[in-house]
Amino acid sequence: MSVKEGGIAAGVCAMAILSSEGVWRTLTPNELYGEVEIDDLYFMATGGGICFGGGEPLLHSDFIVRFEKIMNPLWKLTLETSLNVPLEHLQAVAPLVSQYIVDVKDIHLFIYKAYTGRDNNRVIDNLKWIKAQGLAEKTIIRLPLILEFNDEKMRQESKLMLEEMGFSTFDEFKYRVKYFD
């Protein structure tokens, strides 16, 4: 299934909010709830909720757990993540998450490391944990074409390896790279 068929829950990026003046402000879980509760009717009508993304939200797993305790229990939580974090962060939020959007970048170690500066061992281990917990069907794997890092053949190899791991929903797209003079 493609991401276009499955859809993504409506939501907002949490923990820090960019104001119209371009200034970030840090929020507590209660303050975030105060900002988003106005959309309760919309979330209820659409089956949506909150999407934690930007940076690496799993590094703030304690925030997500605290927020989930005060939000409307009928809202859905979506997590957009690289999964390149210690497993305990994933384990802390796994029972709360309705959908995972995992930006794998590329499963090939040399490509992942060249692009991110880090290895992808945790990513692969966390994907295996997600599969072992029966959560693969809740997971969209993002597989971008990244200019000067991978190509379509490598992306399809990554997809095949991920399918062999038990994942079936992929978001394939091109990263848009904008160079500034």
Side-chain angles (χ1 to χ4, degrees), residues 52-109:
F52 286 95
E56 179 47 69
L58 277 175
L59 294 176
H60 305 280
S61 56
D62 58 328
F63 182 99
I64 296 168
V65 169
R66 291 192 330 261
F67 180 81
E68 189 275 340
K69 288 179 181 174
I70 60 173
M71 72 176 211
N72 181 329
L74 299 177
W75 293 2
K76 293 184 173 78
L77 281 182
T78 298
L79 189 65
E80 188 167 356
T81 175
S82 71
L83 283 183
N84 203 339
V85 298
L87 179 59
E88 58 265 19
H89 291 292
L90 178 58
Q91 290 171 324
V93 302
L96 316 174
V97 175
S98 300
Q99 183 175 57
Y100 297 89
I101 304 169
V102 181
D103 190 356
V104 168
K105 310 233 183 331
D106 196 289
I107 206 78
H108 299 90
L109 173 61

Side-chain angles (χ1 to χ4, degrees), residues 3-171:
V3 72
K4 308 305 184 263
E5 296 166 355
I8 296 175
V12 299
C13 178
M15 292 175 290
I17 292 181
L18 182 63
S19 73
S20 60
E21 294 83 34
V23 177
W24 288 94
R25 60 188 172 112
T26 302
L27 302 174
T28 67
N30 285 327
E31 290 169 333
L32 175 61
Y33 185 75
E35 293 283 335
V36 298
E37 71 178 325
I38 192 170
D39 291 321
D40 181 65
L41 286 175
Y42 177 72
F43 293 159
M44 298 302 295
T46 62
I50 301 297
C51 178
F52 286 95
E56 179 47 69
L58 277 175
L59 294 176
H60 305 280
S61 56
D62 58 328
F63 182 99
I64 296 168
V65 169
R66 291 192 330 261
F67 180 81
E68 189 275 340
K69 288 179 181 174
I70 60 173
M71 72 176 211
N72 181 329
L74 299 177
W75 293 2
K76 293 184 173 78
L77 281 182
T78 298
L79 189 65
E80 188 167 356
T81 175
S82 71
L83 283 183
N84 203 339
V85 298
L87 179 59
E88 58 265 19
H89 291 292
L90 178 58
Q91 290 171 324
V93 302
L96 316 174
V97 175
S98 300
Q99 183 175 57
Y100 297 89
I101 304 169
V102 181
D103 190 356
V104 168
K105 310 233 183 331
D106 196 289
I107 206 78
H108 299 90
L109 173 61
F110 70 98
I111 295 171
Y112 189 93
K113 191 166 190 172
Y115 188 72
T116 67
R118 298 176 182 259
D119 68 50
N120 62 352
N121 295 331
R122 282 183 170 164
V123 177
I124 293 168
D125 289 346
N126 287 336
L127 285 167
K128 289 177 181 176
W129 185 87
I130 285 174
K131 171 60 178 161
Q133 303 308 305
L135 302 173
E137 293 303 315
K138 292 182 168 187
T139 305
I140 297 170
I141 304 289
R142 301 188 84 211
L143 287 173
L145 281 178
I146 309 169
L147 184 67
E148 298 182 14
F149 288 92
N150 68 356
D151 58 27
E152 185 60 33
K153 180 179 182 275
M154 292 173 173
R155 178 166 69 173
Q156 291 310 310
E157 288 174 6
S158 290
K159 183 176 180 180
L160 180 61
M161 287 186 261
L162 290 157
E163 286 173 334
E164 289 171 355
M165 288 175 66
F167 294 92
S168 60
T169 307
F170 299 90
D171 180 14

